[in-house]
Amino acid sequence: MTSSIMQGARILSLGSAVPDLRLSNKDISKMVDTSDEWIVTRTGIKERRILTDANKSVVDLAVLASKKALNKISMDPKNIDLIILATSSPNDLFGSASQIQDRIGAKNAAAFDLTAACTGFVLAVITASQFIQNGSYSTILVIGADTLSKWTDWTDRSTCILFGDGAGAAIIQACSKENNGIIGFQINTDGRQSKDLSIGYQESTKADKSTWPSNNNGQFKYIQMNGKEVYKFAISKVPNSILSCINKLNIKIEEIDWIVLHQANQRILDTVAEKLNISSNKMITNLNRYGNTSAASIPLALSEAVELNQIMYNDFIAISGFGAGLTWGTIIIQWKC
Ligand code: UT7
């Protein structure tokens, strides 16, 4: 890959943000027929953060995470060329990225949303790296942010135990080819299983078909998930995605220092580690505290690991996202900070 790029791309800074309100398993067991024991055993989740303020949205979390990432490296937001917001819960269906551009003062940046649910951050980093490595842009802010609590059916115990709200931001910048940190990727989609995880739009049954066009007052439904199928998909596709990616780069699995998977279920993380024959110590996890934060889960986990000084210069990191679409993908990063 290095030979075909005009310049390198590396993650320079990360930031994250979660709402203050903690919703514990015990709290949820007062709402639906479940228990702390069931949730911990089946998912590893102990609590999640929920955005309760009706006046706040995914944009507020994304702005906070972005400002933290900018402040860490004292970067002037006017230096940002492009903002990519990976979210499936925008506060405007036409896109929310432009609101972030305005609120952080990144007036020179183009901005757009990218929708790919829990694979969103991986796809946004890959997209950003292409813009940088082909020489088009120098500095890109990539954000993974979701507030799926707003799309959760809080009477459905099979989904409401899983999701939490959050945002993670990464500043990706051009560098020399030798310092290139985003060294490989692989992405896939299998639309045949799109119904296994969706927030579908439903036409109103009351719509008056005799007058057209008319406002039919349809609406998006809650999250619908076939948990078993998504689970089977994740544990079968993710290990292969990582292996095919590192094989192309001639990196052996023993050389991978860290794995950051979309934080969906501790059992998925454990099974992937087992299938790859790697120590669970290499698997970065924080889902016990945040649940599944969709596009935010990977940057939240990565940001915390960097803050804890777990990740060292030149470490190899395999990052995989998976979810609705169904989509999945891996990025291999060599840490260059
Ligand atoms: O972010 C996108 C990616 N999403 C995922 O990766 C999700 C993948 N799927 C999963 O993580 C798991 O499938 C779940 C955590 C959602 C469910 O775990 P499971 O082990 O697959 O449970 P299940 O759906 O097979 O249900 C087992 C039993 C059922 O009862 P019966 O039929 O055996 O009597 C469910 O009704 O557990 C019951 N159940 C619950 N019991 C207590 C389902 N949800 C709950 C609950 N509390 N919250």
Side-chain angles (χ1 to χ4, degrees), residues 266-283:
Q266 188 59 46
R267 289 189 294 139
I268 294 178
L269 272 55
D270 294 342
T271 308
V272 171
E274 213 172 281
K275 285 191 166 189
L276 292 174
N277 201 17
I278 57 146
S279 156
S280 57
N281 295 336
K282 289 187 172 183
M283 193 65 86

Side-chain angles (χ1 to χ4, degrees), residues 126-229:
I126 294 166
T127 307
S129 71
Q130 301 305 292
F131 276 114
I132 291 177
Q133 288 166 342
N134 74 16
S136 299
Y137 288 130
S138 291
T139 306
I140 301 184
L141 170 64
V142 171
I143 308 153
D146 266 309
T147 49
L148 286 186
S149 68
K150 292 181 190 281
W151 298 99
T152 300
D153 178 354
W154 289 98
T155 65
D156 175 7
R157 69 175 183 175
S158 69
T159 53
C160 76
I161 55 156
L162 297 173
F163 298 101
D165 302 333
I171 295 170
I172 306 182
Q173 200 167 52
C175 58
S176 67
K177 286 186 192 183
E178 294 68 37
N179 264 332
N180 183 38
I182 301 175
I183 59 176
F185 69 87
Q186 205 242 0
I187 52 176
N188 307 83
T189 300
D190 186 348
R192 289 172 302 176
Q193 280 189 269
S194 60
K195 286 212 163 48
D196 284 337
L197 186 48
S198 71
I199 305 177
Y201 181 76
Q202 197 168 38
E203 298 281 350
S204 166
T205 48
K206 296 189 193 104
D208 181 359
K209 305 278 183 210
S210 62
T211 56
W212 189 93
S214 68
N215 182 349
N216 70 26
N217 294 321
Q219 58 183 8
F220 284 94
K221 294 187 288 184
Y222 295 122
I223 297 168
Q224 311 257 308
M225 183 175 76
N226 182 339
K228 268 198 188 319
E229 285 307 315

Side-chain angles (χ1 to χ4, degrees), residues 33-35 38 42-43 118 157-158 161-163 197 225 227-228 230-231 262 264-265 267-268 292 322-323:
D33 182 15
T34 190
S35 66
W38 194 95
R42 300 295 251 248
T43 71
C118 308
R157 69 175 183 175
S158 69
I161 55 156
L162 297 173
F163 298 101
L197 186 48
M225 183 175 76
K228 268 198 188 319
V230 178
Y231 186 97
H262 164 50
N265 185 323
R267 289 189 294 139
I268 294 178
N292 178 342
F322 54 89

